[in-house]
Amino acid sequence: MNSILNTYSPLSKELYNEYRGEVMRDALSTQKVLVIGAGGLGCEILKCLALSGIKEIHVIDLDTIDLTNLNRQFLFRMKDVGKYKAEVAAEFIMKRIPSCKVIPYTKKIQEFGIGFYQEFSVIIAGLDNIEARRWINRVVIQMVERDENEKVIDGSRHYLIDGGTEGLNGQARVISPFESACYECTLSQLPKQLQYQMCTIASTPRLPEHCIAYVYEVLWQKEQPDVKLDKDNFDHMNWIYQKALERAKQFNIEGVTYKLTLGVVKNIIPAVASTNALIASICTVECIKILTGNGSQLNNYIQWYGQNHQTGVGINVIQQERLDECTECSIQQLQIKVKRTDQLSILLTLLPPEIELYCNGQTLITNNNLRKQGFAHLLVKTFQELIESKIIYENSVLKAIDKNKTINVRIQYE
């Protein structure tokens, strides 16, 4: 590490050339990093951060360790099966690297308030689903504060580094809110998920995947209409597995396994340890650049092709562009003047009737099903009460979505 910190980089910004040796080590040791996900990619990221000199790492993951994780998630052992990934990973890292403090959390990312995420200059996501990525992308955008001239206030921008792997291929991106394309800007570029024709899975299944898809998409709703399927619940997934086995025997189909069941239901793509290691190292390097100001950060998306039938092994850097019509980082603004003693319900008279209002990743208002979703109690709170309880912040920009059109709502207090 010393050789890295003391080596001059011709790519480093001239303003930050004073960062060398002890200065860079101080920058790494005094800032906290949040890692979301402690799975295959998350284990590699945690290892790389700890070995790079980061002294305090926080990690969120509500999953528990499964036997199938052990072939690539190297922070776990057989004795850890059934335990929380975040807790075991934190214990392993701190035992191996005592100078590094790792704090685990075993809750959903949506259960943390905006104040929690504001503690971290950099958030690294090693997630395995689109919705969680979209949510944390929304949070880093909403944490940005602006002055009266609508300019971003220095120090209010938090960076999101997003990594992902698919077999032998992988990608990483650096999201700098209102500077680079956010995750929502690039949703249209995502590959379509594999889908099976309903007529095939219902009438003429030929593959084990067809049997699993039938139970998942048809039989669960038919036999358990009042139970919401939880893909992280073992009993639910085992039910699908057992029913798929029965259907496979009926049609003389072999190959239905519990692992395949998880893969079909969760759309899991087989993970490769070497790909995880490569993408984790890219994420870590970008994190170090941001924390120390040493080196030009990725601009802003990198793809790794470990398997490409046309070009073979390769790597590609793309500058993804922001979309003017992006539902998260669009520049449309609406200013509303209220009194601090006004209740939140006053916005219902000032905004379109079918509006959905968000702040800091949390829903404030949704007219369509307000009471059922449990938001009615917020309407009677004053803006001052909402600020004191940290549901909203003084300079927070609320996000209003009306028929897929997003408007940033800035509240001005009289």
Side-chain angles (χ1 to χ4, degrees):
M1 190 61 190
N2 286 336
S3 61
I4 295 176
L5 296 179
N6 289 298
T7 300
Y8 175 78
S9 169
L11 297 178
S12 59
K13 299 175 183 178
E14 186 175 347
L15 180 62
Y16 295 110
N17 280 343
E18 74 250 25
Y19 281 108
R20 292 294 178 267
E22 292 296 331
V23 178
M24 281 190 64
R25 274 188 288 273
D26 289 342
L28 295 177
S29 63
T30 57
Q31 301 187 68
K32 298 183 291 185
V33 175
L34 174 64
V35 177
I36 303 178
L41 182 57
C43 283
E44 292 282 357
I45 292 172
L46 289 168
K47 175 204 71 176
C48 291
L49 290 174
L51 291 173
S52 297
I54 306 295
K55 298 301 182 184
E56 184 171 337
I57 306 169
H58 295 235
V59 56
I60 303 175
D61 198 316
L62 55 76
D63 283 349
T64 55
I65 300 166
D66 185 79
L67 181 63
T68 59
N69 300 147
L70 303 185
N71 71 324
R72 64 193 180 281
Q73 298 177 21
F74 55 88
L75 299 181
F76 313 137
R77 300 293 183 267
M78 184 68 73
K79 62 181 177 61
D80 300 321
V81 172
K83 299 178 182 178
Y84 283 109
K85 290 182 177 181
E87 293 178 347
V88 174
E91 181 182 356
F92 189 102
I93 292 289
M94 289 190 290
K95 183 178 179 181
R96 187 65 62 91
I97 309 173
S99 61
C100 181
K101 180 181 179 182
V102 184
I103 301 174
Y105 304 91
T106 56
K107 299 192 298 183
K108 293 182 178 179
I109 58 175
Q110 294 86 348
E111 295 182 33
F112 296 89
I114 192 71
F116 171 79
Y117 292 105
Q118 286 179 321
E119 297 179 21
F120 308 97
S121 300
V122 179
I123 299 172
I124 305 180
L127 294 162
D128 60 0
N129 69 87
I130 293 173
E131 288 308 312
R133 283 187 168 99
R134 295 179 70 181
W135 191 90
I136 194 63
N137 174 73
R138 181 180 303 132
V139 168
V140 296
I141 289 173
Q142 294 183 353
M143 283 194 290
V144 174
E145 298 180 1
R146 296 177 180 271
D147 59 22
E148 62 276 5
N149 297 317
E150 292 303 318
K151 292 184 178 180
V152 174
I153 297 175
D154 290 341
S156 70
R157 182 180 281 117
H158 300 253
Y159 295 85
L160 173 62
I161 300 175
D162 174 54
T165 63
E166 295 182 353
L168 294 172
N169 301 327
Q171 54 82 23
R173 76 184 81 200
V174 176
I175 296 175
S176 177
F178 301 105
E179 286 187 333
S180 64
C182 75
Y183 187 77
E184 203 76 16
C185 289
T186 62
L187 274 184
S188 62
Q189 300 175 22
L190 295 177
K192 293 183 179 180
Q193 294 186 358
L194 178 64
Q195 295 181 333
Y196 302 102
Q197 295 295 327
M198 184 57 67
C199 58
T200 300
I201 67 174
S203 304
T204 56
R206 300 184 299 274
L207 302 172
E209 290 87 348
H210 293 163
C211 300
I212 298 168
Y214 175 80
V215 177
Y216 168 49
E217 297 182 13
V218 178
L219 208 57
W220 178 274
Q221 184 64 28
K222 182 178 179 180
E223 297 192 10
Q224 305 197 62
D226 299 325
V227 180
K228 183 179 179 181
L229 177 64
D230 183 354
K231 298 178 183 179
D232 295 316
N233 185 304
F234 172 78
D235 292 333
H236 290 188
M237 297 307 299
N238 190 54
W239 187 91
I240 293 178
Y241 166 55
Q242 296 297 336
K243 291 293 183 178
L245 271 179
E246 295 175 9
R247 186 168 177 79
K249 290 179 181 178
Q250 180 183 351
F251 289 91
N252 296 317
I253 297 173
E254 297 182 352
V256 173
T257 64
Y258 182 74
K259 182 177 180 181
L260 182 62
T261 301
L262 291 177
V264 172
V265 174
K266 291 187 173 185
N267 194 37
I268 296 174
I269 298 173
V272 177
S274 58
T275 310
N276 287 335
L278 189 147
I279 298 301
S281 65
I282 294 174
C283 292
T284 302
V285 168
E286 295 306 317
C287 176
I288 292 174
K289 290 178 185 177
I290 293 170
L291 294 179
T292 65
N294 195 54
S296 299
Q297 68 189 47
L298 176 67
N299 186 21
N300 48 33
Y301 182 84
I302 189 169
Q303 293 176 303
W304 162 254
Y305 303 101
Q307 182 182 28
N308 187 302
H309 297 300
Q310 295 180 335
T311 62
V313 176
I315 197 164
N316 191 24
V317 177
I318 302 171
Q319 182 178 349
Q320 294 181 325
E321 300 292 339
R322 291 180 61 195
L323 294 181
D324 292 337
E325 64 274 18
C326 176
T327 58
E328 294 298 336
C329 66
S330 64
I331 58 177
Q332 299 181 67
Q333 294 279 339
L334 175 65
Q335 292 189 349
I336 295 179
K337 289 186 178 181
V338 299
K339 297 178 181 179
R340 291 179 182 271
T341 54
D342 287 337
Q343 294 181 344
L344 180 64
S345 58
I346 194 174
L347 294 183
L348 294 178
T349 65
L350 301 174
L351 292 170
E354 297 300 321
I355 204 73
E356 293 187 5
L357 192 65
Y358 299 88
C359 182
N360 307 328
Q362 301 181 43
T363 305
L364 293 181
I365 293 176
T366 174
N367 281 351
N368 294 333
N369 207 2
L370 184 63
R371 292 189 179 278
K372 183 178 179 181
Q373 295 195 35
F375 306 117
H377 69 285
L378 293 177
L379 294 179
V380 298
K381 290 184 176 293
T382 66
F383 285 94
Q384 185 60 39
E385 290 173 334
L386 293 171
I387 291 172
E388 291 175 354
S389 58
K390 296 184 178 181
I391 295 176
I392 65 176
Y393 287 76
E394 288 280 355
N395 297 314
S396 290
V397 176
L398 310 186
K399 190 169 294 296
I401 299 180
D402 177 33
K403 297 179 181 179
N404 296 323
K405 179 181 179 182
T406 298
I407 304 171
N408 291 328
V409 180
R410 179 172 294 282
I411 304 296
Q412 290 186 333
Y413 300 104
E414 296 179 348

Short mmCIF file of all heavy atoms in Angstrom, two decimals, residues 286-321:
data_model
loop_
_atom_site.label_atom_id
_atom_site.label_comp_id
_atom_site.label_asym_id
_atom_site.label_seq_id
_atom_site.Cartn_x
_atom_site.Cartn_y
_atom_site.Cartn_z
N GLU A 286 -11.93 3.23 -7.45
CA GLU A 286 -12.72 4.45 -7.63
C GLU A 286 -13.07 5.08 -6.29
O GLU A 286 -13.10 6.31 -6.16
CB GLU A 286 -14.00 4.14 -8.42
CG GLU A 286 -13.76 3.69 -9.85
CD GLU A 286 -12.91 4.68 -10.63
OE1 GLU A 286 -13.14 5.91 -10.50
OE2 GLU A 286 -11.99 4.25 -11.35
N CYS A 287 -13.31 4.27 -5.28
CA CYS A 287 -13.59 4.77 -3.95
C CYS A 287 -12.38 5.52 -3.39
O CYS A 287 -12.52 6.63 -2.83
CB CYS A 287 -13.98 3.62 -3.02
SG CYS A 287 -14.25 4.10 -1.29
N ILE A 288 -11.20 4.97 -3.55
CA ILE A 288 -9.98 5.61 -3.06
C ILE A 288 -9.74 6.93 -3.78
O ILE A 288 -9.35 7.93 -3.17
CB ILE A 288 -8.78 4.66 -3.24
CG1 ILE A 288 -8.92 3.46 -2.30
CG2 ILE A 288 -7.46 5.39 -2.96
CD1 ILE A 288 -7.87 2.39 -2.50
N LYS A 289 -9.99 6.96 -5.08
CA LYS A 289 -9.83 8.21 -5.83
C LYS A 289 -10.72 9.31 -5.26
O LYS A 289 -10.30 10.46 -5.09
CB LYS A 289 -10.19 7.99 -7.30
CG LYS A 289 -9.21 7.15 -8.10
CD LYS A 289 -9.75 7.00 -9.51
CE LYS A 289 -8.90 6.08 -10.36
NZ LYS A 289 -9.49 5.91 -11.72
N ILE A 290 -11.98 8.96 -4.97
CA ILE A 290 -12.93 9.95 -4.46
C ILE A 290 -12.53 10.42 -3.06
O ILE A 290 -12.55 11.62 -2.77
CB ILE A 290 -14.35 9.36 -4.45
CG1 ILE A 290 -14.83 9.11 -5.88
CG2 ILE A 290 -15.32 10.31 -3.73
CD1 ILE A 290 -16.12 8.32 -5.97
N LEU A 291 -12.17 9.50 -2.20
CA LEU A 291 -11.84 9.84 -0.82
C LEU A 291 -10.58 10.69 -0.71
O LEU A 291 -10.47 11.55 0.16
CB LEU A 291 -11.68 8.57 0.03
CG LEU A 291 -12.94 7.73 0.24
CD1 LEU A 291 -12.61 6.50 1.07
CD2 LEU A 291 -14.05 8.53 0.91
N THR A 292 -9.63 10.46 -1.58
CA THR A 292 -8.34 11.15 -1.49
C THR A 292 -8.19 12.28 -2.50
O THR A 292 -7.29 13.11 -2.36
CB THR A 292 -7.18 10.16 -1.70
OG1 THR A 292 -7.24 9.64 -3.04
CG2 THR A 292 -7.26 9.00 -0.70
N GLY A 293 -9.05 12.30 -3.52
CA GLY A 293 -8.90 13.30 -4.57
C GLY A 293 -7.70 13.03 -5.44
O GLY A 293 -7.25 13.91 -6.19
N ASN A 294 -7.17 11.83 -5.40
CA ASN A 294 -5.96 11.49 -6.14
C ASN A 294 -6.31 10.64 -7.35
O ASN A 294 -6.70 9.50 -7.23
CB ASN A 294 -4.99 10.72 -5.24
CG ASN A 294 -3.60 10.67 -5.83
OD1 ASN A 294 -3.02 11.70 -6.15
ND2 ASN A 294 -3.06 9.47 -5.96
N GLY A 295 -6.19 11.23 -8.53
CA GLY A 295 -6.51 10.49 -9.75
C GLY A 295 -7.86 10.89 -10.30
O GLY A 295 -8.75 11.33 -9.59
N SER A 296 -8.02 10.74 -11.60
CA SER A 296 -9.27 11.07 -12.26
C SER A 296 -10.24 9.90 -12.12
O SER A 296 -9.90 8.76 -12.44
CB SER A 296 -9.04 11.37 -13.75
OG SER A 296 -8.16 12.46 -13.91
N GLN A 297 -11.44 10.19 -11.64
CA GLN A 297 -12.40 9.12 -11.43
C GLN A 297 -12.99 8.63 -12.73
O GLN A 297 -12.95 9.33 -13.75
CB GLN A 297 -13.51 9.57 -10.49
CG GLN A 297 -14.43 10.63 -11.05
CD GLN A 297 -15.37 11.18 -10.01
OE1 GLN A 297 -14.96 11.52 -8.91
NE2 GLN A 297 -16.64 11.29 -10.36
N LEU A 298 -13.50 7.44 -12.71
CA LEU A 298 -14.10 6.81 -13.88
C LEU A 298 -15.22 7.68 -14.43
O LEU A 298 -16.06 8.17 -13.69
CB LEU A 298 -14.66 5.44 -13.48
CG LEU A 298 -15.43 4.66 -14.54
CD1 LEU A 298 -14.50 4.24 -15.66
CD2 LEU A 298 -16.11 3.46 -13.91
N ASN A 299 -15.24 7.84 -15.74
CA ASN A 299 -16.26 8.68 -16.39
C ASN A 299 -16.93 7.89 -17.51
O ASN A 299 -16.51 7.96 -18.64
CB ASN A 299 -15.64 9.96 -16.93
CG ASN A 299 -16.68 10.92 -17.47
OD1 ASN A 299 -17.83 10.85 -17.12
ND2 ASN A 299 -16.25 11.82 -18.35
N ASN A 300 -17.98 7.16 -17.16
CA ASN A 300 -18.47 6.91 -15.81
C ASN A 300 -18.97 5.48 -15.67
O ASN A 300 -19.51 5.09 -14.66
CB ASN A 300 -19.60 7.88 -15.47
CG ASN A 300 -20.66 7.97 -16.58
OD1 ASN A 300 -20.94 7.00 -17.29
ND2 ASN A 300 -21.20 9.14 -16.76
N TYR A 301 -18.75 4.66 -16.74
CA TYR A 301 -19.25 3.28 -16.76
C TYR A 301 -18.22 2.39 -17.43
O TYR A 301 -17.70 2.71 -18.50
CB TYR A 301 -20.57 3.24 -17.54
CG TYR A 301 -21.23 1.89 -17.61
CD1 TYR A 301 -22.04 1.43 -16.59
CD2 TYR A 301 -21.06 1.08 -18.74
CE1 TYR A 301 -22.67 0.19 -16.67
CE2 TYR A 301 -21.68 -0.16 -18.83
CZ TYR A 301 -22.49 -0.60 -17.79
OH TYR A 301 -23.11 -1.82 -17.87
N ILE A 302 -17.91 1.27 -16.79
CA ILE A 302 -16.92 0.35 -17.34
C ILE A 302 -17.51 -1.05 -17.44
O ILE A 302 -18.21 -1.50 -16.54
CB ILE A 302 -15.62 0.35 -16.49
CG1 ILE A 302 -14.51 -0.44 -17.18
CG2 ILE A 302 -15.88 -0.17 -15.08
CD1 ILE A 302 -13.15 -0.27 -16.53
N GLN A 303 -17.28 -1.70 -18.55
CA GLN A 303 -17.77 -3.05 -18.79
C GLN A 303 -16.60 -4.01 -18.95
O GLN A 303 -15.62 -3.70 -19.62
CB GLN A 303 -18.63 -3.10 -20.07
CG GLN A 303 -19.94 -2.33 -19.98
CD GLN A 303 -20.68 -2.35 -21.31
OE1 GLN A 303 -20.15 -1.93 -22.32
NE2 GLN A 303 -21.91 -2.83 -21.30
N TRP A 304 -16.74 -5.16 -18.34
CA TRP A 304 -15.74 -6.22 -18.47
C TRP A 304 -16.40 -7.40 -19.18
O TRP A 304 -17.44 -7.90 -18.75
CB TRP A 304 -15.21 -6.65 -17.11
CG TRP A 304 -14.53 -7.99 -17.13
CD1 TRP A 304 -15.00 -9.17 -16.65
CD2 TRP A 304 -13.24 -8.28 -17.67
NE1 TRP A 304 -14.11 -10.18 -16.85
CE2 TRP A 304 -13.00 -9.67 -17.48
CE3 TRP A 304 -12.26 -7.51 -18.30
CZ2 TRP A 304 -11.84 -10.28 -17.90
CZ3 TRP A 304 -11.10 -8.14 -18.72
CH2 TRP A 304 -10.89 -9.50 -18.51
N TYR A 305 -15.80 -7.82 -20.28
CA TYR A 305 -16.30 -8.97 -21.02
C TYR A 305 -15.35 -10.14 -20.81
O TYR A 305 -14.31 -10.22 -21.44
CB TYR A 305 -16.40 -8.66 -22.52
CG TYR A 305 -17.27 -7.46 -22.85
CD1 TYR A 305 -16.69 -6.23 -23.15
CD2 TYR A 305 -18.65 -7.56 -22.85
CE1 TYR A 305 -17.48 -5.14 -23.47
CE2 TYR A 305 -19.45 -6.47 -23.17
CZ TYR A 305 -18.85 -5.26 -23.47
OH TYR A 305 -19.63 -4.18 -23.77
N GLY A 306 -15.72 -11.04 -19.93
CA GLY A 306 -14.92 -12.24 -19.74
C GLY A 306 -15.30 -13.33 -20.71
O GLY A 306 -14.60 -14.33 -20.86
N GLN A 307 -16.44 -13.12 -21.34
CA GLN A 307 -16.91 -14.10 -22.33
C GLN A 307 -17.76 -13.38 -23.36
O GLN A 307 -18.87 -12.94 -23.08
CB GLN A 307 -17.74 -15.21 -21.66
CG GLN A 307 -18.20 -16.29 -22.62
CD GLN A 307 -19.05 -17.34 -21.92
OE1 GLN A 307 -19.70 -17.06 -20.94
NE2 GLN A 307 -19.01 -18.56 -22.43
N ASN A 308 -17.22 -13.23 -24.55
CA ASN A 308 -17.96 -12.59 -25.64
C ASN A 308 -17.65 -13.36 -26.92
O ASN A 308 -16.50 -13.47 -27.33
CB ASN A 308 -17.53 -11.12 -25.79
CG ASN A 308 -18.38 -10.37 -26.79
OD1 ASN A 308 -18.47 -10.75 -27.96
ND2 ASN A 308 -19.02 -9.30 -26.34
N HIS A 309 -18.69 -13.91 -27.52
CA HIS A 309 -18.49 -14.79 -28.67
C HIS A 309 -17.92 -14.05 -29.88
O HIS A 309 -17.35 -14.67 -30.77
CB HIS A 309 -19.82 -15.45 -29.04
CG HIS A 309 -20.37 -16.34 -27.98
ND1 HIS A 309 -19.69 -17.45 -27.51
CD2 HIS A 309 -21.52 -16.27 -27.26
CE1 HIS A 309 -20.42 -18.04 -26.57
NE2 HIS A 309 -21.52 -17.34 -26.40
N GLN A 310 -18.05 -12.74 -29.92
CA GLN A 310 -17.58 -11.98 -31.07
C GLN A 310 -16.19 -11.38 -30.86
O GLN A 310 -15.35 -11.42 -31.74
CB GLN A 310 -18.58 -10.87 -31.41
CG GLN A 310 -19.93 -11.40 -31.87
CD GLN A 310 -20.91 -10.28 -32.19
OE1 GLN A 310 -20.78 -9.18 -31.67
NE2 GLN A 310 -21.87 -10.56 -33.05
N THR A 311 -15.97 -10.80 -29.67
CA THR A 311 -14.71 -10.08 -29.43
C THR A 311 -13.79 -10.77 -28.45
O THR A 311 -12.65 -10.36 -28.28
CB THR A 311 -15.01 -8.67 -28.90
OG1 THR A 311 -15.70 -8.77 -27.64
CG2 THR A 311 -15.89 -7.90 -29.88
N GLY A 312 -14.26 -11.83 -27.76
CA GLY A 312 -13.43 -12.48 -26.75
C GLY A 312 -13.37 -11.66 -25.49
O GLY A 312 -14.26 -10.88 -25.17
N VAL A 313 -12.28 -11.79 -24.74
CA VAL A 313 -12.10 -11.05 -23.50
C VAL A 313 -11.79 -9.59 -23.81
O VAL A 313 -11.00 -9.28 -24.70
CB VAL A 313 -10.96 -11.67 -22.66
CG1 VAL A 313 -10.70 -10.84 -21.40
CG2 VAL A 313 -11.31 -13.10 -22.28
N GLY A 314 -12.40 -8.68 -23.05
CA GLY A 314 -12.14 -7.27 -23.30
C GLY A 314 -12.73 -6.38 -22.23
O GLY A 314 -13.47 -6.83 -21.36
N ILE A 315 -12.41 -5.11 -22.31
CA ILE A 315 -12.91 -4.12 -21.36
C ILE A 315 -13.25 -2.85 -22.12
O ILE A 315 -12.59 -2.51 -23.12
CB ILE A 315 -11.87 -3.85 -20.24
CG1 ILE A 315 -12.52 -3.17 -19.05
CG2 ILE A 315 -10.68 -3.04 -20.77
CD1 ILE A 315 -11.65 -3.22 -17.79
N ASN A 316 -14.29 -2.17 -21.69
CA ASN A 316 -14.77 -1.01 -22.43
C ASN A 316 -15.25 0.06 -21.45
O ASN A 316 -15.96 -0.26 -20.48
CB ASN A 316 -15.92 -1.42 -23.36
CG ASN A 316 -16.30 -0.33 -24.33
OD1 ASN A 316 -15.48 0.52 -24.64
ND2 ASN A 316 -17.52 -0.36 -24.82
N VAL A 317 -14.87 1.30 -21.67
CA VAL A 317 -15.31 2.42 -20.83
C VAL A 317 -16.26 3.30 -21.65
O VAL A 317 -15.93 3.68 -22.77
CB VAL A 317 -14.12 3.26 -20.32
CG1 VAL A 317 -14.63 4.46 -19.53
CG2 VAL A 317 -13.20 2.41 -19.47
N ILE A 318 -17.41 3.59 -21.08
CA ILE A 318 -18.43 4.37 -21.77
C ILE A 318 -18.82 5.56 -20.90
O ILE A 318 -18.98 5.43 -19.68
CB ILE A 318 -19.69 3.52 -22.03
CG1 ILE A 318 -19.34 2.28 -22.86
CG2 ILE A 318 -20.78 4.34 -22.71
CD1 ILE A 318 -20.48 1.30 -22.98
N GLN A 319 -18.98 6.71 -21.53
CA GLN A 319 -19.49 7.87 -20.82
C GLN A 319 -21.00 7.92 -21.05
O GLN A 319 -21.48 8.38 -22.08
CB GLN A 319 -18.84 9.17 -21.30
CG GLN A 319 -19.33 10.39 -20.52
CD GLN A 319 -18.66 11.67 -20.97
OE1 GLN A 319 -17.69 11.64 -21.72
NE2 GLN A 319 -19.17 12.80 -20.50
N GLN A 320 -21.74 7.44 -20.08
CA GLN A 320 -23.19 7.47 -20.19
C GLN A 320 -23.70 8.89 -19.97
O GLN A 320 -23.24 9.59 -19.08
CB GLN A 320 -23.82 6.50 -19.19
CG GLN A 320 -23.49 5.04 -19.50
CD GLN A 320 -24.12 4.08 -18.54
OE1 GLN A 320 -24.25 4.38 -17.36
NE2 GLN A 320 -24.53 2.91 -19.01
N GLU A 321 -24.67 9.29 -20.76
CA GLU A 321 -25.18 10.65 -20.72
C GLU A 321 -26.45 10.73 -19.87
O GLU A 321 -27.25 9.81 -19.82
CB GLU A 321 -25.50 11.13 -22.14
CG GLU A 321 -24.31 11.16 -23.08
CD GLU A 321 -23.27 12.20 -22.69
OE1 GLU A 321 -23.64 13.15 -21.97
OE2 GLU A 321 -22.11 12.06 -23.12
#
